[in-house]
Amino acid sequence: MTTENHVETKVVDGVHYHQYDIVIVGAGGAGMRAAIEAGPGAKTAVISKLYPTRSHTGAAQGGMAAALANVEEDSWEWHTFDTVKGGDYLVDQDAAEILAKEAIDAVIDLENMGLPFNRTPEGKIDQRRFGGHTRDHGKAPVRRACYAADRTGHMILQTLFQNCVRLGIEFYNEYYALDLVMTEVDAGDGTISRKPSGIVAYELATGELHVFQAKAVIFATGGFGKIYKTTSNAHTLTGDGVGIIWRKGLPLEDMEFFQFHPTGLAGLGILLTEGARGEGAILRNASGERFMERYAPTIKDLAPRDIVARCMVQEVAEGRGAGPHKDYVLLDCTHLGAEVLETKLPDITEFARTYLGVDPVYEPVPVMPTAHYAMGGIPTNVSAEVLSDNTTVVPGLYAAGECACVSVHGSNRLGTNSLLDINVFGKRAGRNAVEYVKTVDFTPLPEDPAAFVRGMLDQLRDSNGTERIAAIRKELQDEMDKGAQVFRTDESLAHVTKVIAGLRERYRNVAVQDKGKRFNTDLLEAVELGFLLDLAEVVVYSARNREESRGGHMRDDFPNRDDENYMQHTMAYLSGDAHSSDAADHIRLDWKPVTVTRYQPMERKY
Amino acid sequence: MPDSQARTLTAPTPAKERPGGTLYRGREGMWSWVLHRITGVAIFFFLLVHILDTALVRVSPEAYNAVIGTYQTPIMGLGEVALVGAIVFHAFNGIRVILVDFWAWATRHQKLLFWIVIGLWVIVMLGFTPRHLINVFSH
Amino acid sequence: MTAIPFPDEPRRRGTNWEKWGWIYMRISGVVLVVLVFGHLFVNLMVGEGVKAIDFGFVGGKWADPFWQWWDVTMLWLALIHGANGMRTVVNDYTKPGTVQRILKGALLASVVVLIVLGTLVVFTFEPCPAGSPADLLPSFCAA
Amino acid sequence: MSTATLEQPPAEAAPIESFTVTFLIRRFDPDVDTEPRWQDFDVEMYPTDRVLDALHKIKWEQDGSLTFRRSCAHGICGSDAMRINGRNRLACKTLIKDLDISKPIYVEAIKGLPLEKDLIVDMEPFFASYREVQPFLQPKTAAAPGKERVQSVAERARFDDTTKCILCAACTSSCPVFWTDGQYFGPAAIVNAHRFIFDSRDDEAKVRLDILNDKEGVWRCRTTFNCTEACPRGIEVTKAIAEVKQAVMRGKP
Ligand SMILES: Cc1cc2nc3c(=O)[nH]c(=O)nc-3n(C[C@H](O)[C@H](O)[C@H](O)COP(=O)(O)OP(=O)(O)OC[C@H]3O[C@@H](n4cnc5c(N)ncnc54)[C@H](O)[C@@H]3O)c2cc1C
Ligand code: HEM
Ligand code: SF4
Ligand code: F3S
Ligand code: FES
């Protein structure tokens, strides 16, 4: 049985110590998919800051790609090509091949676990169109997205959770992982290396610290969209996992690539799935023109997200926006009819009604791009093992899902490829971790492994600071939206860099009002803000360095793709004085080559 | 932006003294159940008494008539109206509950059915009350 | 504190009569509608209503086996229905324990007693007891 | 498309009116309080704001110790079920314009689960009931390797409604029967059992029906419909319960 009444191993100095073969951090799609592999093979615990079913995978709407060819001809090669092209060729093609090939099993696995996919008249899994997915290398849109109404992510999350219940996976819910414990080990020949030996977590209910000693640790902590103001991401997506890795001195890959989803509810950022356009909805500007025809004559509204988002911002910038402030465009679903909206897109229909008071059956819905997905993150190889540089694996450390960068998404993720990613690489992470823990012993914990976290929390709680958490966070988010969103320039990025430096300075003087131990969400918001600041800084710093436009990264001052200089992944390292306010003092950038197997870079036209 | 010093946590603004939680504001479904339960319990207790007094017919006609006589006083007459009201509501709402249990349409339209129950109740009570009170108050 | 301790005790398994209780409530309910309304109508609406009820009236009714059976059926159905309903109410508002057991015991006892009593009264009823003033008795008691 | 900038001068706009709204929040800090207490806050709000925005404003600008759960902010994760003006709702789906702001807005934790702090209750009993109904697919035979199980559109539609559940507990904690002793499985558990009982791919409906034929199972439901009214996903909860009751009587789905 899944339970929270865990057997304690011991309590020393108020810190609880546990021992598991595998500890998974994060109970979203990636974390639970890994748990389903790991649970039966090794003693496994899942630590999650949210109840598993609250994870943001549940917000995903549109679908999960797999070339099942249930409704029309399709092949995993085409899917690979679309993924590579969609990612503007920054995709590691060996990984993309694995993604597309294993997609089919991933969908079937989920179906067999109970996921209620929509069905074709023959009773097979139904599929629909999605942006950037095409037949035969770009000839025409193809039906590749398997879906369950417009709550595919919800159904994936529920199904995975249900199977965790079936397997009796142990969850530690509302435990915040705040540090990865690394132990210095002597390889015997005098070389000292660092090996992960556990996780330090903060129990929200009691305010107590827990150390989970583990042979293998899997990070599956999701994205960090909260560095932006307008975002489809949850309040809790603060990039803690990515931040923990960063603070450990491990690199982050391709952080400048953030996806802006074209159709967020204007002003709110709540997502309206691309599936709407897959079903035939059309983007229009103030004059009612279907402007995507001008930009992408072949696939029009179903062009990849980076392109559509850019075109929308362009329309608005050139004065063709709709509304009293001319600051959004319109998503027109009225011709789809109530029937299609109620059966295939019920949730988004309700979102528009609830949050904007607009009924999509009769009126077009105001939309603008919203920060949606982090392409970058913790670099891993195709076995989901975390890398400490371009090639070296950190033994026993894995990452999967949005927090990881394999990289199957390159500079721009195709819609439906992320739900796929979490399943394919979540499974690989779990499976590989099981194999790994069979071959090794526990790495001893260092003395007082919780010291760092205790220090950080005590400092925040005891500070007599005057800065409000919310004020700093708001300023960060506003500035990121202004200077590092769909369009960026050296100037705008330089400005944001400066702002962040100032905010980091102010963060040291931040006030935590709640001094209690139990359910201290105030304290945790302060911690999360620290991660946000760190990550935003890396995003902006990496973005400034990439003087080209590619996928999700659009530089106004360098409008073209530059394969000569930038057909490589960015690797960012924390080095030097982590506390200095000048990013240049503590971020070192490097490059990592892109793996190309079949498809040479071509111009990206749709 | 030290815009405002952290407001103190320990001295809450005194709010309306209201220690308990608020009453849950259920709708037709909940209130019909509350009424159903109250009327059910009331009828049950009446029934206990009613069986006992009726049993007096085995004691003697005088004993029975003496007790039943108290049922015919004006005060009891009003009580009988309440009792009949309770029974009629409980009965009609009982039918509603049964319909709701077995018929999907009724499950969806339980609120409408509740108002129909109320409507029927009013009609029945309009038919019964004058007639009964005339009997009670006429000699 | 508003918090309720949970669980009070692990849920119990095994045969239980809840389903049959539930079904019984509905079947008896439907039948009771007819019986109770008939009863109320005849006693309160016909003729002079409540004013007409006296020993003679009752005796007149129970001379007819039809009304005997009507009232006995009503007695059984209503008491069991009511008692089962009261059991639900007791279950809801008391914790398992002595208090609950006492309440349920009292319910059971009173219902059994009343059913037996009521049934006996209806069937052993003597409409024309000897030595009673004739004006109290049903008209057919030719003295 | 290289000339676009984001620095569009915003068009002159008629200012949207904001209001001062009073929130009465039922607070409880187990370290300090013996009893929950009501505390009021005045917040500047726009009609299109949600109650969650108000709670954030209070937490972020007035009192950082105010504690509540939330994540997605658009009604999909089920974190923030609470009692707003006496009814269970999701704070993130309750718009200010739909409330009467001439009076204070009452906000308190959901009822029937152990109160932990402010608006946070212990969800473990809720999930324990959920787990008891075996909420996972249990087919007797394995699917053909590499193939999906076939299910017709109609069979899929049979249980569509109950697949929407986000386990927010708004239903269970609105149920007068659940309030009494917390032993009743509660509507959410039944909804999640329904989702599998009526799934044509599942073969263990009988086991779940047995579980729900318990003393604390479906028969405790008194059709008060609070659950259906409270469900933020619009699930016809009472209807699902009725269907399960009938399945128990039939002995099969
Ligand atoms: C609105 C929306 C719609 C989308 N639609 C689609 C779609 O249609 N198709 C598609 O393919 N993709 C879609 N995506 C993208 C996709 O849903 C996500 O990228 C994916 O679900 C991420 O899954 P995850 O498991 O990596 O992370 P999440 O599901 O976000 O889970 C993160 C987990 O980590 C835990 N966690 C985080 N920090 C900590 C910590 N410090 N300690 C302990 N635990 C922690 C959290 O509790 C949570 O359980 C969408 C995304 C959004 C936001
Ligand atoms: C006249 C016709 C009657 C009908 C149609 C009827 C119908 C019902 C039904 C269907 C229920 C079950 C309610 C539920 O499960 O939610 C019920 C409950 C109940 N009934 Fe009746 N009933 C009738 C008469 C009576 C009488 C005469 C009594 C008193 C002896 C009575 C006492 C009760 C009680 C105490 C309950 C339990 C209430 C609860 O649990 O909330 N009923 N009735
Ligand atoms: S049925 Fe509705 S109210 Fe109940 S837990 Fe599920 S979503 Fe929430
Ligand atoms: S509120 Fe409770 S009583 Fe039944 S109809 Fe819903 S479960
Ligand atoms: S915050 Fe997710 S449901 Fe309200």
Side-chain angles (χ1 to χ4, degrees):
Chain A
M1 267 290 110
T2 336
T3 167
E4 282 200 88
N5 302 324
H6 311 277
V7 193
E8 295 281 351
T9 0
K10 54 180 175 170
V11 184
V12 181
D13 292 340
V15 179
H16 304 246
Y17 287 83
H18 313 255
Q19 206 180 50
Y20 287 91
D21 291 334
I22 301 175
V23 165
I24 300 172
V25 185
M32 289 203 284
R33 189 65 190 82
I36 287 170
E37 290 309 305
K43 192 167 181 254
T44 304
V46 183
I47 303 174
S48 175
K49 74 177 186 181
L50 303 170
Y51 273 91
T53 53
R54 316 282 183 236
S55 304
H56 211 54
T57 294
Q61 303 166 352
M64 169 168 168
L68 297 182
N70 273 1
V71 284
E72 57 186 329
E73 193 192 349
D74 200 358
S75 87
W76 65 263
E77 275 114 340
W78 299 349
H79 186 181
T80 309
F81 172 77
D82 291 336
T83 302
V84 171
K85 183 179 172 194
D88 224 347
Y89 295 92
L90 199 71
V91 172
D92 284 332
Q93 298 186 9
D94 55 338
E97 275 176 40
I98 289 174
L99 181 81
K101 247 190 258 180
E102 295 185 6
I104 297 166
D105 273 346
V107 168
I108 298 297
D109 276 357
L110 285 172
E111 197 283 337
N112 289 347
M113 282 187 217
L115 198 143
F117 283 107
N118 277 38
R119 299 290 169 152
T120 64
E122 305 85 62
K124 295 197 280 186
I125 296 170
D126 197 12
Q127 299 186 276
R128 66 175 163 208
R129 293 185 181 140
F130 236 80
H133 289 281
T134 66
R135 111 185 18 247
D136 197 7
H137 311 97
K139 298 250 162 60
V142 72
R143 292 176 193 276
R144 187 178 289 146
C146 310
Y147 67 101
D150 55 356
R151 49 175 187 279
T152 316
H154 164 75
M155 291 319 326
I156 289 178
L157 192 68
Q158 294 288 329
T159 303
L160 293 176
F161 183 58
Q162 289 156 0
N163 281 276
C164 286
V165 170
R166 178 172 63 85
L167 295 171
I169 304 292
E170 277 189 71
F171 284 100
Y172 287 84
N173 296 328
E174 298 191 327
Y175 279 60
Y176 282 63
L178 294 182
D179 192 22
L180 169 68
V181 185
M182 301 275 259
T183 307
E184 309 221 319
V185 284
D186 192 331
D189 54 4
T191 50
I192 303 277
S193 66
R194 289 190 310 159
K195 274 185 82 179
S197 51
I199 285 286
V200 185
Y202 174 91
E203 185 183 358
L204 182 63
T206 59
E208 287 181 347
L209 292 181
H210 295 251
V211 172
F212 292 84
Q213 190 182 12
K215 293 179 185 172
V217 174
I218 302 176
F219 272 76
T221 52
F224 47 88
K226 276 290 152 182
I227 59 174
Y228 291 98
K229 176 173 143 224
T230 312
T231 175
S232 64
N233 283 198
H235 284 286
T236 44
L237 284 179
T238 49
D240 311 358
V242 184
I244 290 171
I245 294 287
W246 171 249
R247 288 179 185 176
K248 283 283 131 177
L250 293 167
L252 298 181
E253 185 175 345
D254 285 344
M255 292 292 281
E256 64 272 35
F257 294 107
F258 211 96
Q259 178 169 80
F260 298 90
H261 192 292
T263 50
L265 285 184
L268 291 170
I270 295 172
L271 194 78
L272 300 184
T273 175
E274 194 168 307
R277 279 172 288 138
E279 296 292 344
I282 290 169
L283 287 164
R284 301 184 188 280
N285 59 22
S287 57
E289 181 204 4
R290 182 180 194 178
F291 58 85
M292 281 311 296
E293 265 169 350
R294 257 188 285 126
Y295 299 97
T298 324
I299 59 176
K300 304 184 183 101
D301 297 277
L302 284 176
R305 291 175 177 172
D306 55 334
I307 297 182
V308 180
R310 224 175 284 156
C311 300
M312 290 166 66
V313 175
Q314 180 114 7
E315 287 295 300
V316 167
E318 288 169 10
R320 291 190 292 275
H325 306 288
K326 292 177 169 295
D327 58 355
Y328 53 75
V329 300
L330 296 165
L331 181 69
D332 186 358
C333 311
T334 51
H335 53 288
L336 300 182
E339 165 85 20
V340 169
L341 285 170
E342 301 288 354
T343 58
K344 294 201 169 161
L345 304 163
D347 281 6
I348 64 157
T349 304
E350 200 213 304
F351 293 155
R353 285 181 188 147
T354 309
Y355 295 114
L356 289 184
V358 169
D359 189 339
V361 178
Y362 306 107
E363 299 164 80
V365 185
V367 290
M368 260 322 254
T370 178
H372 185 55
Y373 184 86
M375 267 75 73
I378 308 165
T380 71
N381 60 17
V382 292
S383 307
E385 294 165 307
V386 173
L387 303 175
S388 59
D389 56 34
N390 287 3
T391 48
T392 316
V393 163
V394 183
L397 189 58
Y398 301 80
E402 190 168 340
C403 67
C405 176
V406 189
S407 128
V408 285
H409 306 306
S411 60
N412 171 56
R413 171 178 73 88
L414 282 192
T416 68
N417 264 358
S418 171
L419 290 178
L420 183 55
D421 176 7
I422 61 179
N423 277 288
V424 168
F425 290 99
K427 181 174 178 179
R428 282 179 161 243
R431 212 173 41 198
N432 294 339
V434 170
E435 291 311 314
Y436 175 79
V437 299
K438 284 186 191 146
T439 65
V440 296
D441 270 338
F442 283 98
T443 307
L445 291 166
E447 208 173 310
D448 197 1
F452 169 75
V453 172
R454 193 187 303 114
M456 170 170 77
L457 295 178
D458 285 349
Q459 198 219 322
L460 282 169
R461 210 181 348 226
D462 301 340
S463 105
N464 294 316
T466 49
E467 293 285 353
R468 282 194 174 273
I469 301 163
I472 298 179
R473 186 176 46 212
K474 180 169 185 313
E475 198 171 333
L476 171 72
Q477 292 169 340
D478 285 347
E479 291 295 332
M480 288 296 287
D481 264 22
K482 272 193 224 142
Q485 216 215 20
V486 176
F487 287 100
R488 308 149 171 202
T489 63
D490 189 63
E491 197 191 336
S492 75
L493 293 168
H495 176 70
V496 184
T497 311
K498 237 180 49 229
V499 172
I500 294 175
L503 293 175
R504 282 164 61 88
E505 205 57 55
R506 282 169 55 191
Y507 176 69
R508 290 193 209 165
N509 194 24
V510 81
V512 172
Q513 287 179 278
D514 192 338
K515 309 287 185 196
K517 291 208 89 179
R518 306 188 55 193
F519 288 97
N520 193 337
T521 51
D522 200 27
L523 178 65
L524 285 165
E525 281 194 29
V527 175
E528 290 170 340
L529 175 59
F531 289 126
L532 287 178
L533 286 167
D534 282 4
L535 295 181
E537 186 181 46
V538 187
V539 168
V540 173
Y541 197 76
S542 307
R544 220 178 144 191
N545 185 58
R546 184 177 283 274
E547 302 193 323
E548 64 157 351
S549 288
R550 180 191 297 270
H553 174 67
M554 175 71 195
R555 283 284 296 263
D556 233 5
D557 40 358
F558 299 95
N560 299 316
R561 198 172 83 190
D562 177 358
D563 286 345
E564 200 124 327
N565 295 307
Y566 294 105
M567 189 39 196
Q568 6 184 16
H569 301 291
T570 305
M571 295 287 272
Y573 295 82
L574 177 68
S575 66
D577 177 11
H579 294 294
S580 79
S581 36
D582 185 355
D585 284 348
H586 56 260
I587 302 181
R588 177 172 67 81
L589 294 183
D590 199 353
W591 301 106
K592 180 179 158 205
V594 175
T595 313
V596 175
T597 56
R598 310 166 174 237
Y599 306 107
Q600 287 306 315
M602 293 187 304
E603 200 199 336
R604 199 154 149 261
K605 274 203 309 231
Y606 284 96
Chain B
M1 202 195 326
D3 50 1
S4 81
Q5 178 61 30
R7 207 165 89 173
T8 152
L9 303 175
T10 39
T13 343
K16 203 161 88 192
E17 279 313 315
R18 186 96 178 271
T22 60
L23 185 65
Y24 196 86
R25 282 176 46 200
R27 293 179 192 268
E28 288 88 339
M30 179 173 122
W31 296 116
S32 72
W33 163 76
V34 169
L35 283 174
H36 195 82
R37 176 158 278 193
I38 294 173
T39 53
V41 173
I43 303 165
F44 178 76
F45 284 114
F46 166 76
L47 189 59
L48 296 188
V49 176
H50 188 49
I51 292 169
L52 287 173
D53 65 51
T54 306
L56 289 176
V57 295
R58 270 311 267 140
V59 178
S60 75
E62 290 85 349
Y64 180 76
N65 284 357
V67 172
I68 210 74
T70 64
Y71 279 81
Q72 290 152 356
T73 62
I75 301 220
M76 285 304 275
L78 291 173
E80 278 144 23
V81 172
L83 177 73
V84 170
I87 294 175
V88 171
F89 176 82
H90 188 93
F92 286 172
N93 192 57
I95 300 289
R96 168 180 159 278
V97 168
I98 294 168
L99 289 178
V100 160
D101 284 329
F102 290 101
W103 183 23
W105 182 91
T107 321
R108 289 212 171 103
H109 296 87
Q110 55 96 9
K111 288 186 193 168
L112 172 67
L113 286 173
F114 174 75
W115 292 111
I116 293 179
V117 165
I118 296 296
L120 288 176
W121 183 84
V122 169
I123 294 172
V124 170
M125 292 313 283
L126 281 179
F128 169 77
T129 314
R131 165 100 223 212
H132 178 70
L133 291 182
I134 289 169
N135 282 338
V136 171
F137 287 99
S138 64
H139 293 274
Chain C
M1 256 276 300
T2 43
I4 49 164
F6 185 100
D8 282 346
E9 59 175 29
R11 293 198 181 98
R12 277 177 294 137
R13 286 288 142 70
T15 39
N16 73 78
W17 302 95
E18 295 301 324
K19 177 171 83 181
W20 295 110
W22 187 89
I23 294 172
Y24 174 81
M25 290 306 269
R26 270 131 256 265
I27 295 175
S28 63
V30 172
V31 181
L32 277 170
V33 172
V34 179
L35 297 176
V36 171
F37 277 68
H39 176 80
L40 290 175
F41 190 76
V42 170
N43 286 22
L44 297 180
M45 293 294 280
V46 177
E48 278 190 45
V50 70
K51 274 284 152 69
I53 299 178
D54 58 10
F55 185 87
F57 176 86
V58 177
K61 260 180 104 182
W62 286 347
D64 184 345
F66 175 81
W67 285 114
Q68 275 186 324
W69 283 106
W70 182 290
D71 283 0
V72 165
T73 317
M74 189 165 70
L75 173 81
W76 282 69
L77 288 180
L79 270 179
I80 298 173
H81 176 107
N84 190 43
M86 289 300 290
R87 187 184 61 90
T88 320
V89 176
V90 169
N91 273 339
D92 277 359
Y93 300 120
T94 60
K95 288 205 185 107
T98 329
V99 179
Q100 194 178 80
R101 265 200 304 279
I102 292 175
L103 285 173
K104 284 190 192 167
L107 259 181
L108 184 69
S110 54
V111 167
V112 170
V113 167
L114 286 178
I115 286 184
V116 172
L117 175 74
T119 311
L120 286 176
V121 166
V122 172
F123 284 120
T124 66
F125 176 62
E126 174 54 70
C128 312
S132 292
D135 59 335
L136 296 182
L137 301 182
S139 51
F140 56 77
C141 293
Chain D
M1 57 171 94
S2 57
T3 51
T5 80
L6 282 171
E7 244 62 10
Q8 270 290 111
E12 206 55 55
I16 309 169
E17 234 189 305
S18 68
F19 305 88
T20 303
V21 184
T22 305
F23 285 83
L24 269 177
I25 300 180
R26 192 159 185 254
R27 312 259 337 239
F28 177 66
D29 180 351
D31 292 336
V32 187
D33 305 320
T34 46
E35 281 290 320
R37 59 195 159 86
W38 289 92
Q39 184 175 3
D40 60 356
F41 298 93
D42 288 338
V43 195
E44 276 298 297
M45 297 254 83
Y46 292 99
T48 50
D49 281 339
R50 300 161 257 171
V51 171
L52 182 63
D53 297 319
L55 296 176
H56 272 147
K57 273 194 149 179
I58 295 168
K59 184 175 183 66
W60 293 345
E61 291 162 17
Q62 302 187 26
D63 184 345
S65 71
L66 180 67
T67 308
F68 49 92
R69 292 192 179 101
R70 53 89 180 103
S71 181
C72 71
H74 66 285
I76 212 72
C77 75
S79 300
D80 59 345
M82 52 187 76
R83 202 145 36 118
I84 299 168
N85 276 352
R87 288 197 179 120
N88 280 4
R89 312 167 173 249
L90 297 179
C92 64
K93 272 189 103 173
T94 308
L95 271 65
I96 300 297
K97 69 178 164 61
D98 298 332
L99 299 169
D100 173 9
I101 55 169
S102 64
K103 288 188 255 151
I105 293 170
Y106 289 83
V107 182
E108 62 206 296
I110 47 176
K111 201 170 159 171
L113 289 161
L115 184 60
E116 296 269 14
K117 182 176 173 187
D118 291 354
L119 303 173
I120 292 189
V121 297
D122 181 1
M123 296 290 284
E124 198 37 43
F126 173 81
F127 280 102
S129 290
Y130 165 80
R131 289 192 296 260
E132 270 197 62
V133 301
Q134 308 195 359
F136 37 81
L137 192 76
Q138 304 178 72
K140 281 226 175 79
T141 51
K147 282 268 173 281
E148 68 261 53
R149 288 168 208 279
V150 174
Q151 180 170 54
S152 74
V153 173
E155 285 166 340
R156 164 68 178 74
R158 179 68 190 84
F159 62 99
D160 182 69
D161 200 33
T162 42
T163 64
K164 295 185 207 153
C165 175
I166 55 174
L167 296 169
C168 66
C171 54
T172 296
S173 63
S174 76
C175 175
V177 178
F178 183 75
W179 298 333
T180 59
D181 61 0
Q183 295 278 304
Y184 173 37
F185 273 90
I190 302 175
V191 159
N192 282 281
H194 178 283
R195 178 248 170 277
F196 288 100
I197 290 169
F198 293 96
D199 187 332
S200 60
R201 300 169 295 171
D202 188 89
D203 293 317
E204 296 293 353
K206 259 189 95 69
V207 174
R208 297 192 192 87
L209 292 174
D210 261 5
I211 295 171
L212 290 174
N213 191 11
D214 190 272
K215 185 164 150 291
E216 308 297 347
V218 285
W219 310 115
R220 277 200 83 176
C221 168
R222 308 243 76 82
T223 53
T224 66
F225 284 90
N226 278 4
C227 51
T228 305
E229 306 270 1
C231 180
R233 303 284 291 152
I235 299 171
E236 294 180 292
V237 182
T238 314
K239 184 159 163 283
I241 298 174
E243 286 166 6
V244 174
K245 283 174 184 162
Q246 275 158 49
V248 177
M249 284 189 277
R250 275 197 304 274
K252 59 178 204 294

